[in-house]
Amino acid sequence: MFKNAYIPYGGYYTTPFCKWMGSLANVNAIELGAATSKRWFASREIDPAIIDYLYLGVSVGQKSIFYGAPWAAAMMGAGQAPGQNITQACATATTAVFNAALAVDSGSFDTTYCLLADRPSNGPHTIWPNPNGPGGEVIAENWNMDNIAADPATSKDMLTTAENVAREHGFSREQADELTLRRYEQYAEALADERAFQKRYMFPVEVAVSRKETKLVEADEGVTATSAEGLARLRAVQPDGIHTYGAQTHPADANAGIVVTTRERAVELSRDPQMAVQVVAYGHARTKPAHMPMAPADSVKRALARADLRLDQIKTIKNHTPFIANDLHLAKALGLDAHTFNNYGTSLVYGHPQAPTLARLLIEAIEETALKGGGYALVTGCAAGDSAAALIVKVG
């Protein structure tokens, strides 16, 4: 339970999410994240030199990641701010905010910044020497594809974890398609009135097209139009499974930024000084092997217990949805109506850039709760290794 860790209302942004191999496919994610953050700070007329410490969330390595957070801080104009890298796959953002809140709450730092930047597109291929291999053959790894294909602890791919949960809990193909369609309907609400909801937090990203030309990407790229009929026509990816390509997410590229600071500084930096956003509690969990979508429910229970809150006191819930089984299980485990959470969309629809994924869900939860007049918001999501993290904030 935190006492003095706050996110300024409006002290955050996320870029559009671009489906992999799209507009952001060839740009170093750390450089792009730092450049976008620098532009965002300038748009808010905030001097990035106020940052005491930077948490850089990256799950897919980029060139010069060895220098990571201090390099990003230097590119942003954040003075002499040091920092550290945080990597926890899709739970990177909630864990970065948790670490930032710990540091601020303890009095170690006054103002911290979480920069979440990932680019699964054209991910790195790493090789290690293997002198004992036949002919000195190297050991090789594709950071993105190989790790989606198999958890080294279980040898199971990520889709299999979702199908394991679907079988264990009796979820049907019909339930999967129905809820998937609902998620697209919720996302459509974020596009209403010329994307009015998204414009509350989304910041355009500037990317080079050539040496002389740049373009501004202002909206999500790669979201597929979906209908009940279209979903019904798709085949399940695994035999006897419930997940088609329509009922699971796609890799994406993006970056996001979140300021975590004291109550006093949050008031100074807030878009609305009356709208405080307090970091309340964090919970983590690891479920049984190869059942990744079950982990978020336990992380939520831990966060609620640490905050001394009941689920019915939470006004807004957002859940990372790499597979629709994640939302089906969360609803069943917590006694929720699956149609009532993940308003305005989720990663099932707009994609999965790993580190920025839960940052966007958190930011959307804050904005949705503000529209509701304030209250508690909860964000959770699974991560590699059958783990999950949850974060509770109080808005208003």
Side-chain angles (χ1 to χ4, degrees):
M1 185 82 174
F2 298 103
K3 302 296 183 183
N4 189 33
Y6 287 79
I7 298 170
Y9 181 61
Y12 42 73
Y13 79 88
T14 172
T15 66
F17 280 20
C18 297
K19 190 172 184 177
W20 70 329
M21 307 314 295
S23 290
L24 309 185
N26 300 313
V27 189
N28 183 304
I30 301 172
E31 292 180 312
L32 184 62
T36 308
S37 290
K38 185 174 183 178
R39 289 176 44 244
W40 176 77
F41 273 99
S43 75
R44 290 292 316 279
E45 298 183 345
I46 299 172
D47 185 352
I50 66 170
I51 297 170
D52 299 319
Y53 200 83
L54 189 144
Y55 296 89
L56 175 65
V58 178
S59 283
V60 180
Q62 302 287 284
K63 184 180 182 300
S64 301
I65 195 172
F66 181 88
Y67 290 93
W71 178 41
M75 288 189 287
M76 285 173 51
Q80 302 299 310
Q84 63 179 275
N85 299 350
I86 293 183
T87 299
Q88 197 185 357
C90 311
T92 296
T94 40
T95 301
V97 172
F98 166 64
N99 279 273
L102 279 176
V104 172
D105 204 54
S106 69
S108 298
F109 302 118
D110 182 75
T111 302
T112 62
Y113 186 62
C114 301
L115 171 58
L116 303 312
D118 255 330
R119 192 198 72 192
S121 294
N122 298 317
H125 295 240
T126 303
I127 61 171
W128 292 269
N130 183 20
N132 295 323
E137 183 69 22
V138 298
I139 299 169
E141 179 185 42
N142 180 318
W143 277 49
N144 194 49
M145 302 299 291
D146 288 350
N147 288 298
I148 289 173
D151 177 345
T154 65
S155 77
K156 302 300 182 183
D157 64 274
M158 292 188 178
L159 176 57
T160 294
T161 73
E163 294 295 0
N164 286 345
V165 172
R167 279 191 295 272
E168 181 170 323
H169 291 272
F171 301 140
S172 68
R173 168 67 187 271
E174 290 72 25
Q175 287 176 299
D177 285 357
E178 179 191 10
L179 189 54
T180 296
L181 186 62
R182 170 62 181 155
R183 293 294 176 254
Y184 277 84
E185 292 170 347
Q186 290 166 301
Y187 176 76
E189 294 170 6
L191 305 181
D193 300 323
E194 298 182 341
R195 301 177 43 246
F197 181 78
Q198 290 185 350
K199 288 178 180 178
R200 297 172 70 91
Y201 63 85
M202 192 173 284
F203 190 71
V205 60
E206 189 174 72
V207 60
V209 177
S210 66
R211 289 184 179 181
K212 296 182 178 181
E213 182 185 358
T214 61
K215 73 173 182 179
L216 211 58
V217 181
E218 300 186 79
D220 295 327
E221 287 185 355
V223 176
T224 304
T226 301
S227 66
E229 296 76 18
L231 288 170
R233 285 194 295 268
L234 297 175
R235 293 183 179 180
V237 179
Q238 292 190 358
D240 302 318
I242 70 167
H243 292 88
T244 65
Y245 284 116
Q248 57 184 296
T249 190
H250 56 265
D253 306 324
N255 61 78
I258 301 173
V259 176
V260 182
T261 186
T262 62
R263 181 184 181 93
E264 295 74 22
R265 178 60 63 83
V267 170
E268 295 174 16
L269 301 179
S270 178
R271 202 168 63 208
D272 178 357
Q274 303 303 313
M275 189 66 73
V277 182
Q278 183 182 8
V279 181
V280 175
Y282 171 87
H284 66 282
R286 187 175 186 183
T287 191
K288 61 185 179 180
H291 285 72
M292 182 175 68
M294 290 170 54
D298 286 338
S299 73
V300 168
K301 292 173 184 177
R302 289 191 180 189
L304 288 169
R306 288 171 179 167
D308 194 23
L309 291 170
R310 304 183 311 275
L311 190 62
D312 62 9
Q313 293 175 280
I314 303 297
K315 190 167 285 188
T316 303
I317 297 174
K318 299 282 276 190
N319 183 37
H320 168 40
T321 320
F323 308 101
I324 200 62
N326 287 62
D327 282 355
L328 289 168
H329 181 267
L330 190 73
K332 181 179 179 180
L334 300 182
L336 297 167
D337 179 350
H339 288 70
T340 63
F341 62 87
N342 276 340
N343 292 318
Y344 301 107
T346 183
S347 45
L348 176 76
V349 179
Y350 47 63
H352 172 246
Q354 298 197 38
T357 304
L358 280 168
R360 177 163 175 174
L361 292 173
L362 172 60
I363 291 166
E364 289 184 345
I366 291 169
E367 291 294 346
E368 180 183 345
T369 308
L371 287 172
K372 292 174 176 176
Y376 291 102
L378 183 151
V379 178
T380 187
C382 66
D386 299 306
S387 62
L391 193 72
I392 297 173
V393 298
K394 183 180 181 181
V395 181

